[in-house]
Amino acid sequence: MKVHAVLLAAGSSERFKSKQSKILFNFEGKPLILYSLQTFLNSGLFETITLLVNDHNKEDLLELISNNENLSSIKVIEGGKTRHDSEQIALQYLEEEGVNSDDLVSIHDAARSFINKELLSKLIDCAKQYNSSVPAIKSRTIVSRESKLLAPNQYMYYSMQTPQTFLAKDLFFSYSKANEEGWVGIDTVECISNYTDIKAKIVEGTYLNMKITFIEDLEKIKKIIKDNDFKI
């Protein structure tokens, strides 16, 4: 069973509020996108790595990759307007490339720049055993939007992270059905859940694997790194 990685970096980064594209923003000496790319590549877990980009940052990313010889195996293709569109494009590409239906595909938000090899290994081991895996952390306090009261059963709430990993055949099927029906999901788990009976196997995530949405999130990342003595 081989494993194929898809990194989604086709978003517009509008909420990041910087002249520099979020994924190309310099953090501690290198562009944010390099952290996730190098972690995935150096993990040795993936047969292929496909990076989805938008037309505004495509040339810059191609140049970045060409200037880093160890990244030369990464395939760069243009994504869609939404996350779901980009997932669909990536899966269609993998299917056309002849990826085995019994292989695993691991779909990751490139904006989660600081996932580490340890978590990646746990996720892939889990997926190889259960045909699925998704990292998640316990949610902070959940308040009902309607009543403004604490939601019941707080212990049951989790915040999903990525990469979300499933068998290629389940992804090909689910996204093909979604395309036929014009259905659009918020992430991989939702699409799989909408078209199959598969329940994603949860693996404990990490706060370091948070999604960088606002430029202020980088200060949170710095604090997590410092408080836990993480190496990046």
Side-chain angles (χ1 to χ4, degrees):
M1 178 185 284
K2 296 176 181 177
V3 190
H4 305 271
V6 171
L7 274 72
L8 305 174
S12 63
S13 305
E14 288 181 359
R15 290 175 291 176
F16 192 69
K17 303 299 182 185
S18 170
K19 293 180 181 179
Q20 181 70 62
S21 167
K22 177 172 62 179
I23 59 173
L24 293 168
F25 191 85
N26 189 290
F27 180 82
E28 302 294 309
K30 64 182 180 182
L32 282 169
I33 187 65
L34 276 185
Y35 289 98
S36 51
L37 285 179
Q38 289 174 337
T39 298
F40 272 75
L41 190 64
N42 295 336
S43 72
L45 296 167
F46 302 98
E47 181 74 12
T48 66
I49 299 175
T50 304
L51 176 65
L52 280 289
V53 303
N54 62 46
D55 58 348
H56 299 298
N57 61 30
K58 185 176 182 179
E59 291 304 316
D60 288 334
L61 284 165
L62 286 170
E63 182 179 356
L64 179 68
I65 287 173
S66 67
N67 290 335
N68 288 267
E69 189 173 335
N70 62 324
L71 302 178
S72 60
S73 62
I74 295 171
K75 177 68 177 178
V76 177
I77 61 176
E78 199 166 312
K81 292 183 179 180
T82 67
R83 184 190 199 280
H84 184 89
D85 289 342
S86 291
E87 290 177 303
Q88 205 153 43
I89 289 168
L91 292 167
Q92 182 177 348
Y93 166 76
L94 292 177
E95 191 167 19
E96 290 172 353
E97 287 293 299
V99 165
N100 192 300
S101 62
D102 289 322
D103 284 353
L104 291 167
V105 179
S106 189
I107 301 179
H108 184 60
D109 294 326
R112 296 183 186 275
S113 303
F114 300 100
I115 187 168
N116 57 39
K117 183 179 176 181
E118 181 183 6
L119 179 54
L120 272 182
S121 296
K122 289 179 180 178
L123 289 163
I124 300 308
D125 286 345
C126 176
K128 285 182 175 179
Q129 182 175 358
Y130 298 103
N131 295 334
S132 72
S133 68
V134 56
I137 56 175
K138 284 286 184 68
S139 295
R140 302 184 191 277
T141 304
I142 305 295
V143 177
S144 169
R145 185 175 296 175
E146 289 76 23
S147 68
K148 309 302 181 187
L149 299 174
L150 288 178
N153 303 319
Q154 294 278 322
Y155 68 93
M156 297 177 63
Y157 290 90
Y158 283 83
S159 295
M160 296 291 186
Q161 299 181 332
T162 66
Q164 298 175 2
T165 306
F166 297 91
L167 289 174
K169 61 185 176 186
D170 295 327
L171 289 165
F172 295 159
F173 171 79
S174 297
Y175 280 81
S176 175
K177 293 293 290 182
N179 188 46
E180 288 176 15
E181 298 178 6
W183 184 90
V184 177
I186 60 170
D187 65 3
T188 320
V189 169
E190 186 181 29
C191 189
I192 284 279
S193 299
N194 197 53
Y195 291 104
T196 74
D197 294 327
I198 295 166
K199 304 298 182 187
K201 192 73 173 177
I202 290 178
V203 173
E204 185 176 1
T206 69
Y207 287 103
L208 189 60
N209 190 31
M210 68 177 283
K211 185 175 182 180
I212 298 165
T213 302
F214 307 100
I215 197 166
E216 293 81 9
D217 290 335
L218 295 176
E219 292 303 316
K220 298 177 185 177
I221 287 288
K222 286 181 181 179
K223 187 174 189 309
I224 293 170
I225 292 169
K226 181 179 179 181
D227 291 350
N228 296 276
D229 196 29
F230 286 129
K231 304 296 184 207
I232 61 169

